[in-house]
Amino acid sequence: MKFTTLNETCYYFDAVVNIGYVHRGDNGMLIDAGIDDSIMRKVLKELKSNDLPVTHLFITHGHADHYGGAHFLQKRHDITTIAPKFEAAILQNPTLEPLYLFQGNDPLPELHNKFLEGKAIQIDQEIEAGTHEIDGISFATHLLPGHSYHQLAMEIDGILFAGDSYFSEEQLDKHKIPYITDADLTLESLRQLEDIMCDGAVPGHGVFEKDFTQTVKKNIDCHESLLDWLEDYITEAGISHETIVSDMCEHFEVKNSQLSSWLLYRTAVTAYLVGLIKRGKIDHYIEKNTWKFRKVQS
Ligand SMILES: [Zn+2]
């Protein structure tokens, strides 16, 4: 984990899951909190050694790898915690994540793991997209859904802390089918990112880039090529949801041996199906108690 300076007030901890930091006089705001106590322990140690305060925390979205360290932070420091609405509900009730991934069934014990469920945290202020001033810290937030229902990226002092609204090229290559919840909204958010004028962006996973438009473009290309593959693959005769999940994962050489990772990929594959439905390319129906998808005849 490397503590990197971006400008006079903005920094970030370059890690598996990046953590932003903004310094304003006696105040210091962390943006996201890493996955667990040990990450947060390192963050606090680094800030202390640089004599930097920590008074505020903003969480971009309710995924455990972005808020798992927040409980430890709240125990150690008197923190004002800010989160997007809807995402705040998950941060306060973390079982909601394994619950929704498991389609509303009570999650099996193995789904209560730190990758899907962090410790509950207190949220002091729920916000939406717009401009804000909290305790003298002014910033703007952008609603960028498609990866998480109500994800907000934070723009402050010229830097965009983008959460998981886009991924680094390495992440795209690693996951093959990136975790998204709606392909259409993901693409809309990526196009919105291209229009944000700022001095650079820190994604949730990857490195800070002054010009991040090429990386955003690679994200768009990745999603469009997955949509193209799926559109070619679905026939007029119809294919079951279960078969599509299996075939798409096999085709892109995704290897799932655990239920928790398979559930994430099921959601991602479904996000591309939803994207094609919204484009009018396919439709869906129930046949013999099986959820099926077929090409729309043009
Ligand atoms: Zn995420």
Side-chain angles (χ1 to χ4, degrees), residues 58 60 82-87 126-133 139-145 149-155 189 192 196:
F58 175 73
T60 56
I82 305 143
K85 71 168 194 177
F86 289 112
E87 304 294 333
E126 289 182 26
I127 61 170
E128 296 196 52
T131 53
H132 308 272
E133 188 172 331
F139 59 91
T141 49
H142 301 271
L143 179 62
L144 298 169
Y149 193 67
H150 209 81
Q151 173 169 255
L152 291 179
M154 175 182 283
E155 187 184 352
S189 292
Q192 201 183 319
I196 296 174

Side-chain angles (χ1 to χ4, degrees), residues 73-85:
L73 173 66
Q74 290 190 341
K75 263 197 320 191
R76 293 290 175 98
H77 288 263
D78 185 16
I79 293 283
T80 299
T81 305
I82 305 143
K85 71 168 194 177

Side-chain angles (χ1 to χ4, degrees), residues 61 63 65-66 147-148 151 164 167 179 205:
H61 65 295
H63 286 167
D65 56 338
H66 290 253
H147 167 81
S148 188
Q151 173 169 255
D164 287 348
F167 299 110
Y179 180 82
H205 310 265

Side-chain angles (χ1 to χ4, degrees), residues 79-268:
I79 293 283
T80 299
T81 305
I82 305 143
K85 71 168 194 177
F86 289 112
E87 304 294 333
I90 295 163
L91 301 171
Q92 294 168 101
N93 305 278
T95 302
L96 285 173
E97 185 177 353
L99 182 68
Y100 68 62
L101 286 169
F102 206 40
Q103 295 191 154
N105 288 107
D106 290 16
L108 288 169
E110 69 201 84
L111 299 178
H112 296 289
N113 63 60
K114 77 169 183 180
F115 300 101
L116 300 185
E117 181 176 345
K119 289 179 188 149
I121 58 169
Q122 184 188 316
I123 303 300
D124 302 298
Q125 208 163 332
E126 289 182 26
I127 61 170
E128 296 196 52
T131 53
H132 308 272
E133 188 172 331
I134 296 174
D135 300 328
I137 308 170
S138 49
F139 59 91
T141 49
H142 301 271
L143 179 62
L144 298 169
H147 167 81
S148 188
Y149 193 67
H150 209 81
Q151 173 169 255
L152 291 179
M154 175 182 283
E155 187 184 352
I156 183 163
D157 297 347
I159 304 295
L160 183 74
F161 292 97
D164 287 348
S165 56
Y166 72 96
F167 299 110
S168 66
E169 203 176 345
E170 292 73 31
Q171 285 288 120
L172 294 174
D173 290 344
K174 182 180 156 200
H175 292 291
K176 300 174 179 100
I177 307 171
Y179 180 82
I180 57 170
T181 54
D182 182 314
D184 182 61
L185 288 175
T186 298
L187 287 162
E188 210 175 283
S189 292
L190 288 164
R191 288 187 197 106
Q192 201 183 319
L193 275 172
E194 289 183 313
D195 293 335
I196 296 174
M197 303 302 285
C198 59
D199 302 333
V202 179
H205 310 265
V207 294
F208 168 79
E209 287 180 296
K210 278 187 178 160
D211 180 4
F212 54 100
T213 53
Q214 280 309 310
T215 307
V216 170
K217 173 91 174 47
K218 279 179 184 133
N219 277 253
I220 292 172
D221 291 347
C222 169
H223 298 306
E224 289 290 359
S225 74
L226 289 166
L227 284 165
D228 286 347
W229 181 85
L230 196 55
E231 192 184 335
D232 283 348
Y233 156 87
I234 293 175
T235 60
E236 286 174 8
I239 309 171
S240 75
H241 183 252
E242 198 174 3
T243 302
I244 297 169
V245 173
S246 172
D247 284 355
M248 192 166 179
C249 287
E250 287 291 317
H251 179 82
F252 290 98
E253 297 178 347
V254 170
K255 300 202 184 342
N256 286 311
S257 54
Q258 306 279 330
L259 177 63
S260 56
S261 64
W262 181 80
L263 290 173
L264 293 166
Y265 276 98
R266 179 177 64 175
T267 299

